[in-house]
Amino acid sequence: MATSILMPKLGMTMTEGTVEEWLKQPGDTVKEGEGIVTISSDKLTSEVEAPADGILLKVIKNVSEEAEVGESIGIVGQAGEEVGEATSTFEKEKTEPTAEVQEKAVQQVENQSEGHQDMKGPQRKRRISPAARKKAKALSVDVSKVTGTGPKGRITRRDIEQVAEQQVAATTTEEQVTTKPAVHEEEAMQVQGMSAMRKSIAANMQHSLETTAQLTLHRKADITNLLVFQKKMRTEAAENNLDLKLTLTVFLARAVTLSLQAHPEVNTHLIHDQLHQFEEVHLGIATSLEEGLVVPVVKHAERLPLGSLAKQMKHVTETAREGKNANLSGATFTISNLGAQGIEYFTPILNPPESGILGVGTFVKELTLDENEQVKQITSLPLSLTFDHRVLDGAPAAEFLNTIAHYLAKPYLLLL
């Protein structure tokens, strides 16, 4: 039976994707799990695998064309098979009109749209994808001034982005001419547009700051014993041929998971004035890419012992870096680590609707007094907890941060 190749959902906010490249052509043999087409969203470029063994019977969406999440972009089946047998999630959701009626309606709309495109002035209508319309609103682009490059002149998201880049370049050039009428060649600066991923990050971060009441608490955790414990665990793993990457972030993730279970009020989302408190801990791990930042998610971290947590964190972060179908949605709390960059404290920004995010800095050696007032050297880890003050007050947020520090100071508790 013929099987549809569906546009995947790469993130919580993704509604449409764009076909970037077909790795197979109609008539080519494919194997289940083999890469067949590359698609892109605002955040990622990802390879879609063949859903079954067979032959690529039909390409429904060509290169640069957009498709809604769940919509069929191609069909795999057996030689000579009728492609009409395949269905998609997108098609099943629209079951009210028959296929014949839908086809007639689409043709009628297309004919009307083509007619409208010949009109002049404000009455003129444009064919534009939902993703392009949303992008145009976000970037303040007048769609009446955009020339569509999609099928039958349809305006695509890329058309909007190109016009926005041209506007930025034109505005910058005008400002330079106004403020520096005699600019020398050696003083000229390079101007380039933002990538789609950078624009998405910028919009999300601005939305976060505009719609939440963010406050950040800072403190240090004594990880002197944790570093000794980490070294011992690594040695034990190596001697027993266990392929485990026991980084400091793994131990920290375990401490955060246990602390969220002890303080469930932090593991809460505020959605439409309703507080949603979760028993499950879905841990977001902020991961840096060359193009920007993504947050793959470790689902049900509360069920994972230390070794399993290490393997799952390695899997989701490597999958995200390779541009594959990483799980980028559903986190209940996020960890962001800038320790490798030498940063001690910073103010991480919430990823709504999450109510908390933990920033981790680079550990430092310090001198302090022990219980006998003798000087000793310890290793401290800077922690920065940003939380939504609409959901939490300062005292419970501080207690949560102190619990994390407690687990890090007594690392054997992480195994219980």
Side-chain angles (χ1 to χ4, degrees), residues 69-182:
V69 169
E71 185 177 358
S72 178
I73 59 176
I75 298 177
V76 171
Q78 303 303 316
E81 189 172 4
E82 293 184 5
V83 297
E85 298 178 20
T87 59
S88 69
T89 303
F90 176 80
E91 293 165 342
K92 288 177 180 177
E93 291 176 353
K94 304 180 184 299
T95 56
E96 292 183 3
T98 64
E100 182 179 358
V101 172
Q102 286 183 4
E103 184 177 355
K104 290 181 179 179
V106 170
Q107 185 64 45
Q108 182 180 5
V109 171
E110 289 179 350
N111 292 339
Q112 292 174 349
S113 298
E114 290 170 4
H116 284 308
Q117 287 180 353
D118 293 333
M119 298 171 63
K120 305 297 182 180
Q123 294 292 330
R124 185 182 182 188
K125 293 186 178 180
R126 298 271 178 155
R127 289 170 52 82
I128 181 170
S129 69
R133 191 179 302 280
K134 181 179 179 182
K135 184 66 69 174
K137 184 177 180 181
L139 300 179
S140 300
V141 172
D142 184 354
V143 296
S144 67
K145 299 179 181 179
V146 180
T147 301
T149 61
K152 297 186 178 181
R154 189 187 197 205
I155 298 174
T156 67
R157 177 170 48 83
R158 290 189 175 185
D159 296 330
I160 298 297
E161 291 171 352
Q162 288 178 356
V163 172
E165 291 171 2
Q166 293 169 2
Q167 290 178 350
V168 171
T171 302
T172 305
T173 302
E174 182 180 349
E175 290 175 352
Q176 290 176 340
V177 171
T178 303
T179 56
K180 292 186 177 182

Side-chain angles (χ1 to χ4, degrees), residues 178-232:
T178 303
T179 56
K180 292 186 177 182
V183 178
H184 299 291
E185 184 177 352
E186 62 270 20
E187 295 177 336
M189 67 172 62
Q190 182 179 0
V191 178
Q192 62 182 20
M194 297 170 67
S195 67
M197 187 176 190
R198 188 74 259 159
K199 290 175 183 175
S200 177
I201 293 173
N204 290 340
M205 294 299 96
Q206 183 175 0
H207 174 75
S208 174
L209 291 173
E210 290 176 348
T211 59
T212 59
Q214 302 192 25
L215 177 65
T216 304
L217 304 180
H218 304 284
R219 68 153 293 165
K220 291 179 180 178
D222 184 354
I223 61 168
T224 308
N225 293 333
L226 176 59
L227 294 179
V228 176
F229 180 68
Q230 179 190 28
K231 183 177 180 180
K232 183 177 180 180

Side-chain angles (χ1 to χ4, degrees), residues 158-359:
R158 290 189 175 185
D159 296 330
I160 298 297
E161 291 171 352
Q162 288 178 356
V163 172
E165 291 171 2
Q166 293 169 2
Q167 290 178 350
V168 171
T171 302
T172 305
T173 302
E174 182 180 349
E175 290 175 352
Q176 290 176 340
V177 171
T178 303
T179 56
K180 292 186 177 182
V183 178
H184 299 291
E185 184 177 352
E186 62 270 20
E187 295 177 336
M189 67 172 62
Q190 182 179 0
V191 178
Q192 62 182 20
M194 297 170 67
S195 67
M197 187 176 190
R198 188 74 259 159
K199 290 175 183 175
S200 177
I201 293 173
N204 290 340
M205 294 299 96
Q206 183 175 0
H207 174 75
S208 174
L209 291 173
E210 290 176 348
T211 59
T212 59
Q214 302 192 25
L215 177 65
T216 304
L217 304 180
H218 304 284
R219 68 153 293 165
K220 291 179 180 178
D222 184 354
I223 61 168
T224 308
N225 293 333
L226 176 59
L227 294 179
V228 176
F229 180 68
Q230 179 190 28
K231 183 177 180 180
K232 183 177 180 180
M233 292 287 289
R234 283 177 167 176
T235 300
E236 292 284 348
E239 290 178 351
N240 289 277
N241 297 318
L242 298 177
D243 184 18
L244 294 176
K245 190 176 181 181
L246 296 173
T247 64
L248 192 61
T249 305
V250 172
F251 293 96
L252 183 67
R254 178 63 177 164
V256 168
T257 300
L258 293 173
S259 299
L260 286 171
Q261 290 184 295
H263 302 273
E265 65 275 13
V266 183
N267 202 36
T268 298
H269 290 179
L270 177 59
I271 304 174
H272 301 309
D273 295 327
Q274 298 291 323
L275 294 174
H276 299 255
Q277 189 173 111
F278 299 94
E279 294 182 1
E280 303 84 3
V281 177
H282 302 320
L283 210 56
I285 309 296
T287 303
S288 178
L289 308 179
E290 289 185 5
E291 303 87 356
L293 182 74
V294 294
V295 185
V297 182
V298 176
K299 291 296 183 71
H300 292 290
E302 80 282 358
R303 300 178 184 174
L304 302 176
L306 196 64
S308 299
L309 181 61
K311 290 181 179 179
Q312 190 63 19
M313 288 176 62
K314 179 182 178 183
H315 171 71
V316 299
T317 54
E318 288 183 351
T319 299
R321 290 192 178 102
E322 292 169 2
K324 297 181 180 178
N325 287 344
N327 192 340
L328 302 176
S329 62
T332 60
F333 188 90
T334 295
I335 297 175
S336 179
N337 192 338
L338 290 180
Q341 285 71 38
I343 301 300
E344 288 191 32
Y345 291 105
F346 63 103
T347 303
I349 298 177
L350 289 174
N351 186 21
E354 297 169 38
S355 298
I357 180 172
L358 183 69

